[in-house]
Amino acid sequence: MDVKKAKEAIKELCNKGYASIIQGEGFIENYVSVHPQVLSEIVGPGGSVIRAIQEKLNVKVSIPSTDWKPGNSQPYPVKNAKVGVAGKKEDCVMGKAVISSIARYHHHEITHPGF
């Protein structure tokens, strides 16, 4: 691996929590576009929801920083945030479905069993 690739891998590790260059075959990166107000629900209390998604589905979820603040008047329309989902293709598909469900219904069976 050359120095440029190593720098890129370190930058990804810092920004995303993983480096795509060292992942196995079938690794993909994708995203789900959501309103920024649901980002805190995707993270959950103490990180419980995002941890459940990552552990149960074997994916990495990255939450972007945004300028959106709850309670502040925002210019409309509010720009959606892109929540990153990375892992094997089939795991990412399920991860995206779980995040979309949380954004739409505020829960999913994987993150809120029995709800």
Side-chain angles (χ1 to χ4, degrees), residues 25-100:
E25 194 169 323
F27 179 83
I28 65 165
E29 295 176 288
N30 215 319
Y31 70 90
V32 180
S33 184
V34 300
H35 191 284
Q37 73 183 13
V38 300
L39 294 177
S40 61
E41 292 183 50
I42 295 167
V43 173
S48 61
V49 174
I50 193 170
R51 208 169 27 257
I53 296 168
Q54 292 182 135
E55 291 172 0
K56 292 177 182 177
L57 299 178
N58 197 31
V59 295
K60 286 286 188 184
V61 177
S62 56
I63 304 294
S65 59
T66 67
D67 294 333
W68 189 85
K69 304 284 186 249
N72 289 353
S73 59
Q74 300 293 316
Y76 286 93
V78 174
K79 184 178 176 185
N80 278 354
K82 291 182 178 182
V83 176
V85 183
K88 291 184 179 177
K89 184 177 181 177
E90 57 275 5
D91 297 334
C92 285
V93 168
M94 188 62 188
K96 287 177 61 175
V98 170
I99 292 167
S100 295

